[in-house]
Amino acid sequence: MTDPAPRPQRRPIVSPCVSVCIIDPQSGLCRGCKRTLDEISRWVVMTDEQRLAVLDALPHRPAP
C-alpha cells in the first residue's frame, strides 16, 4: 500500500494592515490599509472569498 500524495499547503490570505492604524473620521477608512473598522475587526473570521473581496475593493477606495 502506498501513502496518499501530500496535499499542497494553502497559504493564508494575509491582512493588508501596514501598522498605520488611524481611522479617518470622514470616510471611516483606515489611513493605512483603507479598510473599515468592521472589515478590520472581522478579518480573522472572514472566509477566503470575503477577504479577497475586501482586497479587490481597496484599490478603488479613495485615499483617506
Side-chain angles (χ1 to χ4, degrees):
M1 186 183 318
T2 61
D3 291 329
R7 284 200 257 167
Q9 292 283 330
R10 283 185 41 184
R11 297 176 122 192
I13 298 172
V14 179
S15 166
C17 179
V18 294
S19 298
V20 178
C21 305
I22 302 168
I23 301 298
D24 180 77
Q26 302 225 255
S27 67
L29 300 175
C30 174
R31 290 186 180 168
C33 67
K34 295 185 179 181
R35 291 181 295 166
T36 65
L37 276 175
D38 182 60
E39 291 166 341
I40 293 167
S41 66
R42 290 187 323 104
W43 187 263
V44 296
V45 296
M46 285 182 174
T47 65
D48 285 352
E49 290 77 21
Q50 291 169 322
R51 289 179 179 185
L52 289 173
V54 170
L55 292 175
D56 287 344
L58 297 181
H60 306 289
R61 293 182 179 175

